[in-house]
Amino acid sequence: MSASDKSGTASRRTFLKGALAAGGAVAGAGAARAAGDPAITQIQPWMQELGDGVDVAPYGKPSEYEDQVIRRTVEWLTADPVSSINFTPLHDLDGIITPNGLCFERHHGGAAHIDPAEHRLMINGLVDTPLVFTMEDIMRFPRENHVYFLECAANSGMEWRGAQLNGCQFTHGMIHNVMYTGVPLRLLLNEAGIKSEGKWILPEGADAAAMTRSIPMEKALDDCLVAFKMNGEALRVEQGYPLRLVVPGWEGNMWIKWLRRIEVGDKPWHHREETSKYTDLFPDGKARRFTWEMDAKSVITSPSPQAPITHGPGPLVIKGLAWSGRGTIPRVDVTIDGGKTWAQARMSGPSLDKSMHAFYLDIKWDGQPLYLQSRAHDSTGYVQPTKQALREIRGVNSIYHNNGIQTWYVNEQGVAENVEVS
Amino acid sequence: MSASDKSGTASRRTFLKGALAAGGAVAGAGAARAAGDPAITQIQPWMQELGDGVDVAPYGKPSEYEDQVIRRTVEWLTADPVSSINFTPLHDLDGIITPNGLCFERHHGGAAHIDPAEHRLMINGLVDTPLVFTMEDIMRFPRENHVYFLECAANSGMEWRGAQLNGCQFTHGMIHNVMYTGVPLRLLLNEAGIKSEGKWILPEGADAAAMTRSIPMEKALDDCLVAFKMNGEALRVEQGYPLRLVVPGWEGNMWIKWLRRIEVGDKPWHHREETSKYTDLFPDGKARRFTWEMDAKSVITSPSPQAPITHGPGPLVIKGLAWSGRGTIPRVDVTIDGGKTWAQARMSGPSLDKSMHAFYLDIKWDGQPLYLQSRAHDSTGYVQPTKQALREIRGVNSIYHNNGIQTWYVNEQGVAENVEVS
């Protein structure tokens, strides 16, 4: 008696009723719920009176019921808040756009509050003509729009020695994904004219830390952007307002914020942030440096320690994110039994180069414990490794580039915790 | 002596210096600027002291220097703020993502502040099993991510009788573009089981206005979503928190906010919002109804009345947006002489179905007056018409579906105004 529909089979129509057969609680089972549920037998207060009309703000903010969806810090992580980091609440988000107010950020000398009218970008060094640009000057060059992830190389760094932090916000939250609008760096460099000896650039920030990183000229001329907008509006102060460098797919630290100068040189500068920091110490005492590309990585964001299963057995959405500094993510595998068996996840949303991708596995949970993992494949064929495989090569004294597979153990009550399995 | 680079020709390197040849002011001309510019001869205050470290907020907000980037209202447009509208500041934005706090919105009975734990979605009428869903229930169905524009059918409505409002925020700002995360409506309808007589749905809102619109079953089962996230986080209160209908490419009024019920019926309900409102009155006294699809449209957002040219002649970025309820935008034409000659604009960013597209024309402005227009082509082959062509068919008593070509006149001082040209 039912109209034909896109899904086709009768089994889809018993999506939730099927939970009865599985022995779990029934959700949304129609008339039975309707009779007993005060939420629909009584008229809700918001239907009985006029809502806000006079103060829909010039710049809106989230519902008061979302006040737990926030950036968080790990207090013991750094010695002082002036050089610190906060984390994106991945477990509470969905899709591939990170809203600007929730984007993690890391600063080394506090966040500079810059008047854009007074801000300048200088290009000097091995160039034909040193130049100084105002923001207005930069806005006159052709611009482009791209969605890119920015991941701190130290993301998941606390996990090198074992499962430490209880929540994907903390284990994986040094990442965000936004649409940047900016001018290709090559246009600005070409305006100054790169001398033939010019093989490296040193971008420098205008904050108190004056952050610098050496970047090879090939990358500078490839897809680097001098960006002034994120998700449509100006960069946030903590994201480098009014100008930051975008280095697609490469270590977050290189995406210099509060960008004020770019020096062209003939060799790398070997500054603090690429020697003392952002290098990987190996067991034999040697260190790997210039580890620029962020390797393919993924994490299940729900269920996770901060996002327990609250509805009991039956239909369950497993969601997560995957990304690669080398391209797109054509495939993610998910296991619920700690790696004994794997299923291919469903991807949803645009698949963009060097952007986050969203994946899902929709299962019927039987109420038994789960060992959840995800494994990303990127467009180069690279497959996300286990933490064990990484440690075998890099030891446990690394801080950076921990892109190992993450495991959440979920108990029968639906509570998840960060674990490791062999 | 200069290194080879991606752009190739020497002419690119004189991008700004070329402004000298054009007779305009020089921007960014290197050493000359550096010598005289206090912004770089003095050490900026933000480099002399530590910035914010202790209060990078749990939910961030824009720089204080961006306090003019806001939603605005047109006070005389409605009788009372309780049923009112505000407008997206398109001239200040870029790319294709509208940040959540700046998304225009229209409400008819104020914005309802709903406790998601108490919210319910009922599906009733010509279904096998009436159902009531909690938010948690909805979160257990498979979900999808899509970027869609939402345009009020009355966008540009004030312009039917001629150039009225001075700024694209007001003439075109009843639109936004975000990534929605939600459950395909067909999954929920199929859960209830659509009876064979069920040919229409009536979604209903939980606000004081209890907004309703009739939607044909074909569309309901096609790409409609029951959405709970926008740009990664929960819907904003004024955008329908915690749940809204998404009706891709169709009139914004149909995207019922604070979605609480969907009734399945065998014929349209002909409620107020599809009879008294959202119909187009023709010169012969007949009215066009059920004008669901938003036709292809575009507008130049800068230069525009709220975004004058402040830098004088030389390199100028003309930017704009284009969209179509029927597909993508493969092409936009731009004219600077009021339609005598047209150039094809450069598109930048992902081209997504029923989403905004960003276009640019990078020109050398000679300082003479400009008559700027843009003309969108959509993927069905439809070409955006002139306002004159629309009026010839629809008369001037329309309110809705004004997708005519917009003209800005820009004078020698760079100031733009809303005009019409034959």
Side-chain angles (χ1 to χ4, degrees):
Chain A
M1 187 71 110
S2 298
S4 63
D5 58 71
K6 271 190 136 164
S7 68
T9 66
S11 63
R12 296 306 302 281
R13 294 198 295 106
T14 56
F15 179 86
L16 289 179
K17 292 182 198 148
L20 277 169
V26 171
R33 174 184 279 278
D37 188 346
I40 63 157
T41 57
Q42 293 158 16
I43 298 174
Q44 298 283 16
W46 44 83
M47 295 208 67
Q48 299 194 48
E49 58 200 23
L50 292 173
D52 283 332
V54 298
D55 69 341
V56 175
Y59 197 98
K61 56 190 209 291
S63 164
E64 58 264 43
Y65 292 97
E66 297 295 311
D67 64 3
Q68 291 308 299
V69 180
I70 51 176
R71 297 188 284 210
R72 291 182 172 85
T73 55
V74 175
E75 304 247 320
W76 49 260
L77 200 61
T78 62
D80 193 284
V82 77
S83 176
S84 190
I85 187 161
N86 57 35
F87 300 78
T88 306
L90 299 176
H91 58 292
D92 279 327
L93 304 179
D94 217 322
I96 66 164
I97 297 293
T98 311
N100 291 347
L102 294 173
C103 288
F104 99 94
E105 67 88 28
R106 166 83 166 113
H107 51 267
H108 296 258
H113 285 260
I114 296 177
D115 176 351
E118 299 302 313
H119 187 68
R120 300 290 182 271
L121 172 63
M122 168 185 282
I123 297 184
N124 67 350
L126 295 176
V127 293
D128 295 336
T129 313
L131 292 175
V132 172
F133 301 94
T134 61
M135 289 302 298
E136 189 178 72
D137 293 337
I138 290 164
M139 300 294 193
R140 301 176 71 181
F141 284 82
R143 64 184 73 151
E144 296 181 6
N145 301 305
H146 297 273
V147 180
Y148 290 132
F149 76 86
L150 186 164
E151 185 184 14
C152 180
N155 198 18
S156 317
M158 294 75 71
E159 304 290 301
W160 270 111
R161 295 189 177 207
Q164 300 246 24
L165 298 170
N166 218 22
C168 65
Q169 178 165 21
F170 307 114
T171 57
H172 289 74
M174 296 189 201
I175 189 169
H176 55 64
N177 204 63
V178 305
M179 173 170 282
Y180 293 98
T181 302
V183 175
L185 174 58
R186 67 178 179 279
L187 297 182
L188 302 178
L189 290 174
N190 291 339
E191 185 68 13
I194 307 160
K195 288 186 186 291
S196 53
E197 324 79 275
K199 301 295 184 200
W200 290 81
I201 64 164
L202 186 82
E204 179 182 82
D207 61 327
M211 178 65 56
T212 58
R213 283 292 297 261
S214 308
I215 300 180
M217 188 60 75
E218 252 171 19
K219 181 65 172 177
L221 296 177
D222 182 17
D223 56 2
C224 288
L225 296 176
V226 173
F228 43 86
K229 284 192 157 46
M230 56 188 288
N231 289 337
E233 61 180 355
L235 299 175
R236 292 302 175 88
V237 167
E238 67 271 20
Q239 300 296 339
Y241 180 85
L243 208 63
R244 84 171 306 159
L245 190 63
V246 168
V247 191
W250 287 26
E251 293 183 322
N253 178 249
M254 305 176 83
W255 300 40
I256 301 297
K257 298 191 285 191
W258 312 290
L259 184 66
R260 72 165 189 149
R261 189 171 73 93
I262 296 174
E263 183 174 333
V264 177
D266 57 356
K267 50 191 183 297
W269 284 258
H270 297 298
H271 277 181
R272 174 183 188 268
E273 299 298 333
E274 51 209 7
T275 51
S276 164
K277 300 292 172 190
Y278 297 99
T279 55
D280 306 299
L281 184 63
F282 273 59
D284 67 0
K286 294 191 175 188
R288 201 173 66 138
R289 70 173 183 195
F290 292 164
T291 54
W292 296 315
E293 283 178 316
M294 298 306 294
D295 305 303
K297 191 169 175 180
S298 70
V299 63
I300 286 168
T301 56
S302 173
S304 62
Q306 296 162 288
I309 305 170
T310 51
H311 50 63
L316 169 67
V317 171
I318 299 169
K319 73 169 171 68
L321 295 164
W323 60 93
S324 173
R326 295 191 180 91
T328 61
I329 301 285
R331 174 176 156 188
V332 178
D333 309 316
V334 172
T335 175
I336 65 172
D337 57 17
K340 295 195 194 75
T341 62
W342 291 87
Q344 197 163 327
R346 172 176 65 86
M347 313 297 292
S348 182
S351 176
L352 304 168
D353 183 56
K354 303 184 182 73
S355 161
M356 269 185 190
H357 293 56
F359 68 84
Y360 303 92
L361 194 71
D362 306 296
I363 68 167
K364 290 265 176 14
W365 185 38
D366 59 6
Q368 296 303 303
L370 302 166
Y371 285 88
L372 301 175
Q373 300 178 344
S374 64
R375 179 176 65 199
H377 299 244
D378 80 13
S379 46
T380 70
Y382 176 102
V383 181
Q384 181 179 10
T386 61
K387 290 180 186 174
Q388 193 168 349
L390 286 170
R391 287 182 189 122
E392 277 164 17
I393 297 171
R394 306 216 209 125
V396 298
N397 286 320
S398 273
I399 298 169
Y400 309 103
H401 295 287
N402 180 358
N403 68 319
I405 288 170
Q406 173 65 39
T407 311
W408 309 120
Y409 167 73
V410 182
N411 68 18
E412 285 152 329
Q413 286 71 50
V415 175
E417 66 177 290
N418 182 6
V419 299
E420 298 218 354
V421 296
S422 355
Chain B
M1 185 74 106
S2 296
S4 64
D5 58 69
K6 273 192 130 155
S7 69
T9 66
S11 63
R12 295 306 300 280
R13 291 197 297 106
T14 56
F15 179 85
L16 289 179
K17 292 181 200 152
L20 274 170
V26 171
R33 173 183 281 278
D37 188 349
I40 61 156
T41 56
Q42 293 157 18
I43 298 174
Q44 299 282 15
W46 44 83
M47 296 209 63
Q48 300 194 45
E49 58 201 25
L50 292 173
D52 284 332
V54 299
D55 69 341
V56 175
Y59 197 97
K61 58 190 207 292
S63 164
E64 58 264 44
Y65 292 99
E66 297 295 311
D67 64 3
Q68 290 309 298
V69 180
I70 50 176
R71 296 186 286 209
R72 292 183 171 84
T73 55
V74 174
E75 304 248 320
W76 50 260
L77 202 61
T78 64
D80 193 284
V82 78
S83 178
S84 190
I85 188 160
N86 57 35
F87 299 79
T88 305
L90 299 176
H91 58 293
D92 279 326
L93 304 180
D94 216 323
I96 67 163
I97 298 292
T98 312
N100 291 348
L102 294 172
C103 288
F104 99 94
E105 68 87 30
R106 167 85 166 112
H107 51 266
H108 297 257
H113 285 260
I114 295 178
D115 176 351
E118 299 302 313
H119 188 69
R120 300 290 183 271
L121 172 63
M122 169 185 281
I123 298 183
N124 66 351
L126 295 176
V127 293
D128 296 335
T129 313
L131 291 175
V132 173
F133 300 94
T134 61
M135 289 302 298
E136 188 178 71
D137 294 335
I138 289 164
M139 301 293 194
R140 301 176 70 181
F141 284 82
R143 63 186 72 152
E144 295 182 7
N145 300 307
H146 296 272
V147 180
Y148 291 132
F149 76 87
L150 186 164
E151 184 184 16
C152 180
N155 198 19
S156 316
M158 294 75 72
E159 304 291 300
W160 271 111
R161 296 187 177 209
Q164 301 246 21
L165 299 171
N166 218 21
C168 65
Q169 178 165 20
F170 307 113
T171 58
H172 289 73
M174 296 190 200
I175 189 169
H176 54 65
N177 204 64
V178 305
M179 173 169 282
Y180 293 98
T181 302
V183 175
L185 174 57
R186 68 180 179 276
L187 297 182
L188 302 178
L189 290 173
N190 290 339
E191 186 65 15
I194 308 160
K195 289 185 186 291
S196 54
E197 324 79 276
K199 300 295 184 201
W200 289 81
I201 63 164
L202 186 81
E204 180 184 80
D207 60 327
M211 176 66 57
T212 57
R213 282 293 297 264
S214 307
I215 300 180
M217 188 60 74
E218 252 171 17
K219 181 65 173 177
L221 295 179
D222 183 16
D223 56 2
C224 287
L225 296 176
V226 173
F228 43 85
K229 284 191 156 48
M230 58 188 287
N231 288 337
E233 61 181 353
L235 299 175
R236 294 300 176 90
V237 168
E238 66 271 20
Q239 301 295 340
Y241 181 85
L243 207 62
R244 85 171 305 160
L245 190 63
V246 169
V247 191
W250 287 24
E251 294 183 323
N253 176 251
M254 306 175 83
W255 299 42
I256 301 296
K257 299 191 282 192
W258 312 290
L259 184 67
R260 70 164 189 151
R261 191 172 71 93
I262 297 174
E263 183 173 333
V264 177
D266 58 356
K267 51 190 182 301
W269 283 258
H270 297 299
H271 277 179
R272 175 185 189 267
E273 300 299 332
E274 51 209 7
T275 52
S276 165
K277 301 292 172 188
Y278 297 100
T279 56
D280 307 300
L281 184 63
F282 273 60
D284 68 358
K286 294 191 174 190
R288 203 173 64 138
R289 72 175 182 195
F290 292 166
T291 53
W292 296 315
E293 283 178 316
M294 299 306 294
D295 305 304
K297 191 169 175 180
S298 69
V299 63
I300 287 169
T301 56
S302 172
S304 62
Q306 296 162 288
I309 305 171
T310 50
H311 50 63
L316 169 66
V317 171
I318 299 169
K319 75 169 170 67
L321 295 164
W323 59 92
S324 172
R326 296 191 179 92
T328 60
I329 302 285
R331 174 176 157 186
V332 177
D333 309 316
V334 172
T335 176
I336 65 172
D337 57 16
K340 293 195 194 75
T341 62
W342 292 86
Q344 199 164 325
R346 172 176 66 85
M347 314 297 292
S348 182
S351 175
L352 304 169
D353 184 58
K354 304 184 180 74
S355 161
M356 269 185 192
H357 292 57
F359 67 86
Y360 303 92
L361 195 70
D362 306 296
I363 70 168
K364 289 264 177 14
W365 184 38
D366 60 6
Q368 295 303 301
L370 302 167
Y371 284 88
L372 301 176
Q373 299 178 345
S374 63
R375 177 176 66 197
H377 300 242
D378 79 13
S379 46
T380 70
Y382 176 104
V383 182
Q384 181 178 9
T386 61
K387 290 180 185 175
Q388 192 168 347
L390 285 169
R391 290 184 187 119
E392 278 163 17
I393 296 172
R394 306 220 208 122
V396 298
N397 286 320
S398 273
I399 299 169
Y400 309 103
H401 294 287
N402 181 0
N403 66 316
I405 288 170
Q406 174 64 40
T407 310
W408 308 120
Y409 167 73
V410 182
N411 70 17
E412 286 153 330
Q413 286 71 51
V415 176
E417 66 177 289
N418 182 6
V419 300
E420 298 221 354
V421 297
S422 353

